[in-house]
PDB file of all heavy atoms in Angstrom:
ATOM      1  N   ALA A 270      91.933  95.735  83.529  1.00  0.00           N
ATOM      2  CA  ALA A 270      91.592  94.699  84.503  1.00  0.00           C
ATOM      3  C   ALA A 270      91.233  93.462  83.698  1.00  0.00           C
ATOM      4  O   ALA A 270      90.339  93.510  82.834  1.00  0.00           O
ATOM      5  CB  ALA A 270      90.404  95.126  85.367  1.00  0.00           C
ATOM      6  N   VAL A 271      91.923  92.371  83.956  1.00  0.00           N
ATOM      7  CA  VAL A 271      91.768  91.154  83.183  1.00  0.00           C
ATOM      8  C   VAL A 271      91.782  89.947  84.123  1.00  0.00           C
ATOM      9  O   VAL A 271      92.578  89.890  85.066  1.00  0.00           O
ATOM     10  CB  VAL A 271      92.906  91.020  82.135  1.00  0.00           C
ATOM     11  CG1 VAL A 271      92.804  89.685  81.395  1.00  0.00           C
ATOM     12  CG2 VAL A 271      92.890  92.179  81.155  1.00  0.00           C
ATOM     13  N   TYR A 272      90.913  89.002  83.850  1.00  0.00           N
ATOM     14  CA  TYR A 272      90.890  87.752  84.610  1.00  0.00           C
ATOM     15  C   TYR A 272      91.864  86.774  83.964  1.00  0.00           C
ATOM     16  O   TYR A 272      91.768  86.470  82.758  1.00  0.00           O
ATOM     17  CB  TYR A 272      89.504  87.141  84.626  1.00  0.00           C
ATOM     18  CG  TYR A 272      88.531  87.843  85.529  1.00  0.00           C
ATOM     19  CD1 TYR A 272      87.782  88.929  85.085  1.00  0.00           C
ATOM     20  CD2 TYR A 272      88.363  87.418  86.863  1.00  0.00           C
ATOM     21  CE1 TYR A 272      86.901  89.579  85.931  1.00  0.00           C
ATOM     22  CE2 TYR A 272      87.479  88.070  87.707  1.00  0.00           C
ATOM     23  CZ  TYR A 272      86.740  89.151  87.243  1.00  0.00           C
ATOM     24  OH  TYR A 272      85.877  89.786  88.071  1.00  0.00           O
ATOM     25  N   ALA A 273      92.798  86.262  84.766  1.00  0.00           N
ATOM     26  CA  ALA A 273      93.646  85.155  84.366  1.00  0.00           C
ATOM     27  C   ALA A 273      93.083  83.936  85.090  1.00  0.00           C
ATOM     28  O   ALA A 273      93.280  83.786  86.306  1.00  0.00           O
ATOM     29  CB  ALA A 273      95.090  85.403  84.758  1.00  0.00           C
ATOM     30  N   GLY A 274      92.330  83.107  84.380  1.00  0.00           N
ATOM     31  CA  GLY A 274      91.564  82.072  85.060  1.00  0.00           C
ATOM     32  C   GLY A 274      90.486  82.733  85.890  1.00  0.00           C
ATOM     33  O   GLY A 274      89.683  83.520  85.377  1.00  0.00           O
ATOM     34  N   LYS A 275      90.478  82.470  87.202  1.00  0.00           N
ATOM     35  CA  LYS A 275      89.500  83.085  88.091  1.00  0.00           C
ATOM     36  C   LYS A 275      90.039  84.295  88.846  1.00  0.00           C
ATOM     37  O   LYS A 275      89.331  84.920  89.630  1.00  0.00           O
ATOM     38  CB  LYS A 275      89.007  82.050  89.109  1.00  0.00           C
ATOM     39  CG  LYS A 275      88.233  80.895  88.493  1.00  0.00           C
ATOM     40  CD  LYS A 275      87.754  79.933  89.570  1.00  0.00           C
ATOM     41  CE  LYS A 275      86.964  78.780  88.962  1.00  0.00           C
ATOM     42  NZ  LYS A 275      86.472  77.837  90.011  1.00  0.00           N
ATOM     43  N   THR A 276      91.290  84.650  88.560  1.00  0.00           N
ATOM     44  CA  THR A 276      91.955  85.727  89.306  1.00  0.00           C
ATOM     45  C   THR A 276      91.905  87.040  88.532  1.00  0.00           C
ATOM     46  O   THR A 276      92.394  87.112  87.395  1.00  0.00           O
ATOM     47  CB  THR A 276      93.418  85.353  89.605  1.00  0.00           C
ATOM     48  OG1 THR A 276      93.462  84.106  90.278  1.00  0.00           O
ATOM     49  CG2 THR A 276      94.081  86.411  90.462  1.00  0.00           C
ATOM     50  N   ARG A 277      91.355  88.042  89.160  1.00  0.00           N
ATOM     51  CA  ARG A 277      91.241  89.362  88.525  1.00  0.00           C
ATOM     52  C   ARG A 277      92.494  90.169  88.832  1.00  0.00           C
ATOM     53  O   ARG A 277      92.826  90.425  90.000  1.00  0.00           O
ATOM     54  CB  ARG A 277      89.990  90.107  89.031  1.00  0.00           C
ATOM     55  CG  ARG A 277      89.732  91.437  88.363  1.00  0.00           C
ATOM     56  CD  ARG A 277      88.414  92.005  88.916  1.00  0.00           C
ATOM     57  NE  ARG A 277      88.035  93.257  88.275  1.00  0.00           N
ATOM     58  CZ  ARG A 277      88.460  94.468  88.667  1.00  0.00           C
ATOM     59  NH1 ARG A 277      89.285  94.556  89.694  1.00  0.00           N
ATOM     60  NH2 ARG A 277      88.052  95.551  88.059  1.00  0.00           N
ATOM     61  N   LEU A 278      93.204  90.573  87.775  1.00  0.00           N
ATOM     62  CA  LEU A 278      94.444  91.338  87.910  1.00  0.00           C
ATOM     63  C   LEU A 278      94.237  92.732  87.324  1.00  0.00           C
ATOM     64  O   LEU A 278      93.582  92.885  86.295  1.00  0.00           O
ATOM     65  CB  LEU A 278      95.589  90.628  87.189  1.00  0.00           C
ATOM     66  CG  LEU A 278      95.880  89.201  87.645  1.00  0.00           C
ATOM     67  CD1 LEU A 278      96.954  88.577  86.736  1.00  0.00           C
ATOM     68  CD2 LEU A 278      96.351  89.173  89.099  1.00  0.00           C
ATOM     69  N   ILE A 279      94.801  93.737  87.958  1.00  0.00           N
ATOM     70  CA  ILE A 279      94.754  95.092  87.444  1.00  0.00           C
ATOM     71  C   ILE A 279      96.161  95.633  87.262  1.00  0.00           C
ATOM     72  O   ILE A 279      97.117  95.185  87.927  1.00  0.00           O
ATOM     73  CB  ILE A 279      93.954  96.042  88.363  1.00  0.00           C
ATOM     74  CG1 ILE A 279      94.615  96.175  89.745  1.00  0.00           C
ATOM     75  CG2 ILE A 279      92.518  95.581  88.504  1.00  0.00           C
ATOM     76  CD1 ILE A 279      93.963  97.258  90.632  1.00  0.00           C
TER      77      ILE A 279
END
Side-chain angles (χ1 to χ4, degrees):
V271 175
Y272 285 88
K275 295 182 179 180
T276 305
R277 185 177 183 274
L278 302 174
I279 63 172

